[in-house]
């Protein structure tokens, strides 16, 4: 008889793991609380406007390619997703009115950087060399490794990583070796927000992010980032994975050492030979399992920041806005202190505006526009005293103020409708504990072997995948996490890979 596995949550990690398992003859059922797959990589469609609620660009394309290939996709990832390269990747706008377009065009980068700081282009090339080393070693020795026991991480071979990857060096401080201008330091560290981290506490290892963006490219799937979920769902369904939507798991049924299945909110009890949880890991420990001490241990870990997202359908086009515009505040450090330390909204927040119709006209009706504005904020506090209605309204005013500096002064009067997400929305819609959009953050003590692993320490057939497990947050790493979790299950079931 085929082993039966239940996957809780149809996020990217869960879909990928389910597909790998089904391809090895296992009967897999995925239980999803929402009406469609994708988790926080979701889509909102209204009146001909389409919005990605999660990532708005495809970064680290080599990881995606490797993971789609591992799933046995017959077409290449680029063909399946109909990718187009985004170059320049970002249009950066600073408080003093200066601007920087991050591009793979080295002549353009040279001219732009030298206008900021003499000699900065050669230093930029040195920084990319470091980023290349960090990317190669990070992916090879950390991201793609499972670390099932300490001896697999603490090896003589890994000792050189302490200086090769600079995990003990602060990322922003490390920028002093390359640039003096604070605007340039900000321009090549803001990507740490992808990890839910401040560059003032992130390890310099994360220089891999600006490197891969500029060396490997940033892409956009035609139809939006949700196309990745649709492509993965096609592979899963071809492999025979069963999906049950609009079904909420109330608890994981366990005895002393095993998971026996799941109990749904409607009272159904589904039995399984193993359970793989793709729901947010802290949520699983706190809401679906009985062990309070382990739940408290997870809750005490560091969580990532959150964001307030605005989704606007506009009755007018704003062609002057590029696809990815990032406003970086001059009080860069204070921005992160207010978010990370005070769990609040900065007085002068950095923020991001995405215009998907610049890349794909079908994302909005003809003669209209679709805009997404994302403002990083603190996650939910324990005391619950944050007034998210007030904070949301303040964040919206900051977006309008920032856009006005680019000559976009009438946007408020052309909004047909607005949907917005606050940390409360992220918690309710996707069961993200504290509304932390990136799950557990990626500080030094929550990376590599120190990040929660993909198997429960007590229940021998309960496994995990997703943002808060190894290797971490992000769509490509979620795919890696799904593959590693599936491999762990197959090994435990002694099924040949």
């Amino acid at each position: 008889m085929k082993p039966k596995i239940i996957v809780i949550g149809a996020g990217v990690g869960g879909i990928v793991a389910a597909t790998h398992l089904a391809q090895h003859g296992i009967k897999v059922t995925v239980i999803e609380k929402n009406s469609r797959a994708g988790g926080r990589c979701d889509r909102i469609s209204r009146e001909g406007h389409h919005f990605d609620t999660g990532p708005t660009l495809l970064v680290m394309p080599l990881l995606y390619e490797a993971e789609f290939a591992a799933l046995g996709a017959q077409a290449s990832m680029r063909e399946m997703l109909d990718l187009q390269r985004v170059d320049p990747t970002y249009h950066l706008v600073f408080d003093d009115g200066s601007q920087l377009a991050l591009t793979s065009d080295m002549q353009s980068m040279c001219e732009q950087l030298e206008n900021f700081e003499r000699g900065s282009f050669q230093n930029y090339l040195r920084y990319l060399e470091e980023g290349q080393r960090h990317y190669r070693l990070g992916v090879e020795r950390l991201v793609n490794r499972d670390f099932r026991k300490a001896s697999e991480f603490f090896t003589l071979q890994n000792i050189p990583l302490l200086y090769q990857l600079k995990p003990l060096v602060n990322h922003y401080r490390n920028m002093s070796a390359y640039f003096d201008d604070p605007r340039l330091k900000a321009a090549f560290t803001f990507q740490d927000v992808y990890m839910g981290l401040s560059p003032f506490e992130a390890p310099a290892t994360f220089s891999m992010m600006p490197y891969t963006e500029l060396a490997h490219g940033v892409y956009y799937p035609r139809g939006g980032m949700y196309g990745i979920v649709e492509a993965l769902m096609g592979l899963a369904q071809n492999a025979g994975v069963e999906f049950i939507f609009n079904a909420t798991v109330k608890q994981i049924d366990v005895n002393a050492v095993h998971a026996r299945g799941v109990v749904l909110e409607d009272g159904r009890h589904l039995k399984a030979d193993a359970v793989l949880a793709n729901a947010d890991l802290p949520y699983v420990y706190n809401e679906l399992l009985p062990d309070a001490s382990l739940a408290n241990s997870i809750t005490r870990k560091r969580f990532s920041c959150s964001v307030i997202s605005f989704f606007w359908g506009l009755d007018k086009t704003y062609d002057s806005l590029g696809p990815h515009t990032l406003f970086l505040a001059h009080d860069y450090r204070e921005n992160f202190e207010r978010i990370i330390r005070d769990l609040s909204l900065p007085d002068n927040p950095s923020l991001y505006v995405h215009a998907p119709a610049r890349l794909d006209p079908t994302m909005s009706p003809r003669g209209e526009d679709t805009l997404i504005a994302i403002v990083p904020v603190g996650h939910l506090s324990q005391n619950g005293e944050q007034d998210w209605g007030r904070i949301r309204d303040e964040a919206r005013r900051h977006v309008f103020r920032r856009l006005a500096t680019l000559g976009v002064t009438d946007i408020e009067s052309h909004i047909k409708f607005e949907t917005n997400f606050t940390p409360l929305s992220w918690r309710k819609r996707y069961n993200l504990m504290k509304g932390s959009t990136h799950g557990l953050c990626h500080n030094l003590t929550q990376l590599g072997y120190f990040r929660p692993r993909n198997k429960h320490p007590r229940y021998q057939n309960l496994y995990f995948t997703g943002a808060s497990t190894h290797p971490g947050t992000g769509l490509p790493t979620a795919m890696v996490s799904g593959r590693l979790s599936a491999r762990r299950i197959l090994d435990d079931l002694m099924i040949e890979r």
Side-chain angles (χ1 to χ4, degrees):
M1 181 179 292
K2 291 182 178 180
K4 180 176 182 179
I5 293 177
I6 288 176
V7 178
I8 304 171
V12 167
I15 300 170
V16 168
T19 305
H20 282 293
L21 293 169
Q23 289 173 342
H24 284 82
I26 294 174
K27 179 174 174 53
V28 185
T29 301
V30 180
I31 312 294
E32 169 56 46
K33 72 181 281 286
N34 292 324
S35 61
R36 58 183 170 272
R40 71 201 81 175
C41 183
D42 205 348
R43 170 189 283 166
I44 298 172
S45 294
R46 180 175 170 182
E47 299 177 24
H49 299 268
H50 306 288
F51 308 87
D52 288 311
T53 64
T56 57
L57 36 74
L58 188 152
V59 299
M60 305 181 82
L62 301 188
L63 264 189
Y64 278 102
E65 287 180 339
E67 294 307 317
F68 269 98
L71 286 167
Q74 293 184 353
S76 73
M77 178 267 292
R78 294 171 190 264
E79 293 171 330
M80 291 180 70
L81 300 180
D82 192 9
L83 293 181
Q84 57 179 312
R85 184 158 184 170
V86 182
D87 197 350
T89 55
Y90 300 96
H91 185 69
L92 306 184
V93 182
F94 301 97
D95 277 352
D96 63 359
S98 58
Q99 301 182 17
L100 175 63
L102 298 183
T103 173
S104 60
D105 182 338
M106 289 295 103
Q107 181 61 38
S108 173
M109 284 299 291
C110 179
E111 293 171 359
Q112 291 185 88
L113 291 175
E114 291 298 319
N115 284 333
F116 278 86
E117 178 183 315
R118 189 173 179 179
S120 59
F121 180 66
Q122 288 303 316
N123 292 330
Y124 167 70
L125 295 179
R126 289 196 301 113
Y127 181 62
L128 289 184
E129 287 179 7
E130 177 180 273
Q132 180 185 33
R133 182 177 74 246
H134 290 176
Y135 179 88
R136 177 177 56 81
L137 290 172
V139 170
E140 175 187 325
R141 306 279 282 279
L142 297 177
V143 172
N144 273 319
R145 296 291 305 279
D146 203 353
F147 304 122
R148 300 184 184 183
K149 50 190 177 181
S151 60
E152 294 179 355
F153 182 74
F154 297 103
T155 65
L156 291 175
Q157 185 184 23
N158 280 347
I159 289 176
L161 295 181
L162 287 173
Y163 63 85
Q164 291 173 332
L165 287 177
K166 294 188 174 180
L168 304 179
V169 180
N170 173 288
H171 193 187
Y172 190 84
R173 190 180 306 123
N174 186 57
M175 298 306 295
S176 296
Y178 301 98
F179 308 112
D180 293 325
D181 193 311
R183 294 170 298 178
L184 296 184
K185 293 179 182 180
F188 299 109
T189 58
F190 73 83
Q191 295 90 343
D192 294 346
V193 175
Y194 296 165
M195 309 292 139
L197 269 182
S198 160
F200 297 95
E201 61 177 345
T205 310
F206 290 136
S207 64
M208 68 166 65
M209 295 308 298
Y211 161 74
T212 185
E213 287 181 353
L214 291 159
H216 303 148
V218 169
Y219 294 86
Y220 187 77
R222 200 166 300 278
M225 291 292 287
Y226 195 74
I228 297 170
V229 176
E230 292 173 327
L232 292 174
M233 282 294 290
L235 293 172
Q237 289 163 344
N238 288 341
V241 177
E242 176 190 15
F243 289 87
I244 301 176
F245 294 102
N246 299 305
T248 300
V249 173
K250 182 179 180 181
Q251 70 181 68
I252 298 172
D253 180 27
V254 295
N255 58 23
V257 293
H258 287 95
R260 296 179 293 198
V262 300
V263 179
L264 304 187
E265 269 194 350
D266 62 11
R268 281 182 290 170
H269 187 161
L270 306 180
K271 294 185 178 181
D273 297 298
V275 174
L276 171 64
N278 181 215
D280 186 44
L281 184 73
Y283 173 83
V284 173
Y285 272 95
N286 278 272
E287 302 296 334
L288 304 185
L289 290 170
D291 193 321
S293 63
L294 281 174
N296 290 336
S297 174
I298 290 289
T299 304
R300 286 194 298 270
K301 292 183 179 294
R302 285 281 309 280
F303 283 72
S304 68
C305 63
S306 189
V307 300
I308 294 176
S309 296
F310 299 99
F311 307 97
W312 291 322
L314 307 173
D315 64 10
K316 173 184 175 181
T317 58
Y318 290 88
D319 292 331
S320 61
L321 280 177
H324 303 289
T325 305
L326 189 66
F327 297 89
L328 291 174
H330 72 275
D331 43 358
Y332 193 58
R333 182 186 295 272
E334 188 204 355
N335 254 255
F336 286 101
E337 287 179 350
R338 290 295 303 277
I339 293 168
I340 305 296
R341 182 193 64 199
D342 301 339
L343 302 181
S344 185
L345 173 71
D347 294 331
N348 177 37
S350 298
L351 56 90
Y352 163 70
V353 176
H354 174 45
R358 297 300 88 74
L359 299 169
D360 182 355
T362 67
M363 299 302 281
S364 64
R366 184 184 298 274
E368 300 184 2
D369 219 341
T370 296
L371 284 190
I372 302 171
I374 299 176
V375 186
V377 294
H379 61 61
L380 296 172
S381 64
Q382 284 187 309
N383 60 31
E385 293 179 354
Q386 296 146 306
D387 183 347
W388 287 109
R390 179 190 62 78
I391 295 172
R392 176 202 60 209
D393 293 345
E394 187 178 344
R396 186 190 296 108
R397 286 192 292 271
H398 282 297
V399 177
F400 294 152
R401 175 179 62 84
R402 291 290 200 178
L403 288 172
T405 65
L406 296 181
V408 180
T409 58
D410 63 345
I411 193 167
E412 189 171 5
S413 62
H414 288 281
I415 295 176
K416 295 163 51 184
F417 64 84
E418 172 185 296
T419 298
N420 60 71
F421 287 2
T422 70
L424 294 172
S425 313
W426 297 111
R427 182 177 67 180
K428 180 179 180 180
R429 193 177 181 108
Y430 305 110
N431 288 337
L432 301 180
M433 193 167 176
K434 300 187 181 184
S436 295
T437 47
H438 301 80
L440 297 178
C441 78
H442 294 70
N443 58 332
L444 184 60
T445 58
Q446 293 178 182
L447 280 175
Y449 176 75
F450 303 107
R451 197 161 185 82
R453 288 179 286 285
N454 55 23
K455 185 175 181 179
H456 195 280
R458 176 185 302 168
Y459 306 119
Q460 298 174 11
N461 61 338
L462 175 57
Y463 305 86
F464 307 105
T465 186
S468 292
T469 63
H470 179 76
T473 193
L475 276 185
T477 44
M479 295 181 71
V480 175
S481 175
R483 173 173 54 81
L484 294 178
S485 297
R487 186 169 68 185
R488 183 72 179 266
I489 294 170
L490 292 171
D491 286 348
D492 286 354
L493 293 175
M494 293 184 290
I495 294 176
E496 185 176 346
R497 290 187 275 112

